[in-house]
Structure formats: C-alpha cells, structure tokens
Amino acid sequence: MARLSKLSRSIEGKIALVTGAASGMGRATAHLFADEGAHVAVTDLDADKVSRVVREIDEAGGSAFGWVLDVSQRADRVAVVSAIVQKWGGLDILINNAGIVRYEPIDAPSFEEGWGRSLDILLTAQVMLARECLPHLEASGGGRIVNIASTEGLGATKGVSAYTASKTGVIGLTRSLAVELGMKGITVNCICPGPINTGMTADIPDESKAIFAARRSALKRYAEPEEVAHGTLNYVLPASQYITGTHLAVDGGLTIKNA
Ligand code: NAD
C-alpha cells in the first residue's frame, strides 16, 4: 500500500520573520527555523546583536538576514516587512516573539508609563505587525502566525499586571485572528512558555529558579529556549494546516500541577 500520510513536515524554503530574535526564545527559533531550511528574517532592537545572530546562523549553514525592528514603531514595521518581501519575494511565517517584563505594582509611580509601554510592545505590536504582513501571508497560500504569550496569560503573578493583561490579551487576539483569517488560509496560534532560561529571567538567581521549578513544575526545572522553539516549529509546519486558534503551554507542566 502507498503511504497514507501526505502532508509535509518541512519548512524548507519558507520565509519567516521572527521578532526579538537577538536573544532567548527568538534567537532559538530563528536558529531552529534556519536549521530546518527556512529563510529567516532576524529582527530586534540592536543592530550589533542582530548581526551576531545572523552570523551564527550563517556559520551553521543557514539562510538569514538581519533588520533592526522596534515592534512598537509603525515606520519600522512597514519598512522591514517591505524589505523582507523585496529580498526573498514573499513572507510565509510571522513569529510575534519580542517582549519585555516590568515589575510594577499598581501603586508604583511609573505604573501608567509602564502600562502603556508594556501593552504597546506585548499586545498592540503583535496585531499591527500581523496587519502589515497580512497580504503576504495570504499570498503564501498557507500563512502562519505564532504569537508568543505566556503562562501569565493563563494565571497571574503579583506586581506584573500589565504583562499579565497583555499576555491574556495575546491569547484572545490569537483566537480572534484565527477566526478572522481562516478564510484566507492563515492559521494563528500561540505559545504559552513557562519558566525559560533567557535574557528575561537572567537576573533571577539559580537557587531561586531551582526552588520555584521544584515546587511549581512537573518536570522540576526551567527549560532552555530551544525546547520552546520546537513547539513553535510544530505550529508552522505545512502539516499543521488544520490547527488554528489554539494555545500550547510549553511549561513543564506548571499550569496543570495542583500539588
Ligand atoms: P529575552 O529578553 O531573552 O528576549 C526578548 C527580546 O525581545 C530581546 O532581544 C529584546 O531586545 C527584544 N525586544 C524587547 N523590546 C522590543 C521591541 N520594542 N522591539 C523589538 N524587540 C524587542 O526574553 P525571552 O524570554 O526570550 O522573551 C521572548 C518572549 O517570550 C517574550 O514575549 C516574553 O514575554 C515571552 N516569555 C518569556 C518567558 C521566560 O520565562 N523567559 C516565559 C513566558 C513568556
């Protein structure tokens, strides 16, 4: 009998835009997608850090090009999407990954400024960049958007309400865009990472990480960024064409563990 399975698990030749790709999960995703044969637009705030990741991918035999993209700036979003399409002839995959976290209790003097900045970067930029990429994702014939949310979108930690509200919003935005863009053949999903060793968690002492992970996660450890990137890769495979509007917790069992 001929093989029953027909759908492809290869992203070779696909064109992918990854935001916040100079560090952590964005960098790991850019590397993994390039390892899998995609052309990767490595984008982030700092030109030198972007160049470093592009060089790494180059040396590993992958295809990447770098752009400075502040996701909160409309002019950057317009210019970079247009430059990517000019360079590679299209755009198939958007990974909305860039992020910040600010510890700011509601009575902190900087709260109002922090709230606006956090929502701009974590939530508003995701939908605006999706808007910018839309015609190209539609033309791709199998466009993919993956938004990076957080387990903070499924629960809450005190002192980071702007982050929690944004990440909860990302899950809602993902569902909404999935419904709206389904007719264009674009799938939209999101990842809810748990505790991951990246730039964002670099200041937390190892002992505190170990205590937290032992108490809260089933796997009793922080994860490495590549472990999350593989979850993201699954969503962008051609074979994942019927998966949309979902969230995937890549959290070592943190959100399902009661005791
Ligand atoms: P990271 O700090 O290592 O990387 C984040 C990157 O985003 C940085 O390179 C930073 O320069 C970039 N960035 C920040 N503001 C930007 C802007 N305005 N425009 C473009 N780039 C910008 O952290 P990470 O943990 O890899 O974060 C990636 C995503 O994962 C974020 O959305 C974060 O909220 C989310 N997340 C992280 C964890 C964790 O434990 N590390 C858990 C859940 C979710």
Side-chain angles (χ1 to χ4, degrees), residues 30 33-35 37-42 54 57-58 60-65 87-88:
F33 284 16
D35 291 347
H39 303 291
V40 181
V42 175
V54 170
I57 291 174
D58 230 37
S63 166
F65 200 85
K87 178 167 178 58
W88 284 311

Side-chain angles (χ1 to χ4, degrees), residues 4-38:
L4 184 65
S5 54
K6 297 198 170 39
L7 299 175
S8 164
R9 291 187 61 80
S10 169
I11 58 166
E12 187 151 10
K14 300 285 185 195
I15 299 149
L17 162 55
V18 184
T19 68
S23 175
M25 285 180 262
R27 171 172 166 263
T29 305
H31 267 270
L32 179 61
F33 284 16
D35 291 347
E36 294 294 313

